[in-house]
């Protein structure tokens, strides 16, 4: 027989997490309806990002190059996030840290060369 009382703290944690997440989702919507913030009018429904109506259906597909550029940005942003702490502590870590970072940068450089050769960075 399995003692299910061991799972009680986990179930309580999940219950509290579910209650808090439901509160954070539904409470602002309820407050917005009660305070009158949810009264749409033409001014609220107008375009606010670029100032003019969209030319196409908003559900149209984007070119894959947008996603490729975003992925490349994330990769090189992560490189910068790993490079800064390494640069601060490289002298105390020794040659192992330096060699491992050079391997990491070399792999990223190979990825950049591959993306460049495949034409991922060319824009028409």
């Amino acid at each position: 027989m399995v003692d299910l009382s061991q799972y009680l703290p986990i179930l309580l944690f999940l219950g509290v997490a579910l209650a808090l997440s439901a509160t954070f989702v539904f409470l602002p919507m309820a407050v917005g309806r009660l305070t009158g913030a949810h009264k749409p009018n033409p001014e609220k429904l107008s375009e606010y990002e670029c100032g003019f109506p969209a030319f196409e259906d908003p559900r149209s597909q984007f070119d894959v190059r947008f996603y490729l550029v975003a992925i490349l940005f994330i990769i090189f942003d992560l490189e910068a996030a790993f490079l800064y702490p390494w640069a601060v502590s490289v002298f105390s870590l020794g040659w192992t840290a330096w060699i491992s970072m050079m391997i990491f940068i070399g792999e990223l450089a190979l990825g950049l060369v591959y993306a460049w050769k495949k034409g991922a960075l060319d824009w028409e």
Side-chain angles (χ1 to χ4, degrees):
M1 208 71 190
V2 177
D3 186 21
L4 295 179
S5 64
Q6 296 175 352
Y7 293 107
L8 183 62
I10 296 172
L11 290 176
L12 287 174
F13 179 76
L14 288 174
V16 169
L18 183 66
L20 282 175
S21 62
T23 301
F24 286 136
V25 169
F26 295 117
L27 186 65
M29 293 189 321
V31 169
R33 290 214 183 255
L34 292 175
T35 60
H38 182 74
K39 293 182 180 173
N41 59 32
E43 189 66 31
K44 283 186 182 180
L45 298 176
S46 65
E47 294 80 15
Y48 61 92
E49 290 180 357
C50 58
F52 54 88
F55 297 116
E56 300 175 354
D57 182 28
R59 292 174 189 84
S60 63
Q61 292 184 347
F62 283 100
D63 193 2
V64 73
R65 288 177 292 192
F66 288 109
Y67 299 110
L68 197 55
V69 168
I71 289 171
L72 288 173
F73 171 76
I74 290 171
I75 288 171
F76 290 106
D77 192 41
L78 285 175
E79 177 191 10
F82 283 125
L83 202 59
Y84 181 73
W86 170 81
V88 169
S89 63
V90 68
F91 295 115
S92 64
L93 295 175
W95 284 101
T96 306
W98 189 84
I99 291 170
S100 63
M101 185 55 77
M102 292 304 115
I103 291 171
F104 176 68
I105 291 173
E107 288 175 352
L108 284 174
L110 284 174
L112 177 62
V113 168
Y114 175 77
W116 198 334
K117 292 291 182 185
K118 286 292 185 178
L121 303 176
D122 295 334
W123 203 263
E124 296 173 4

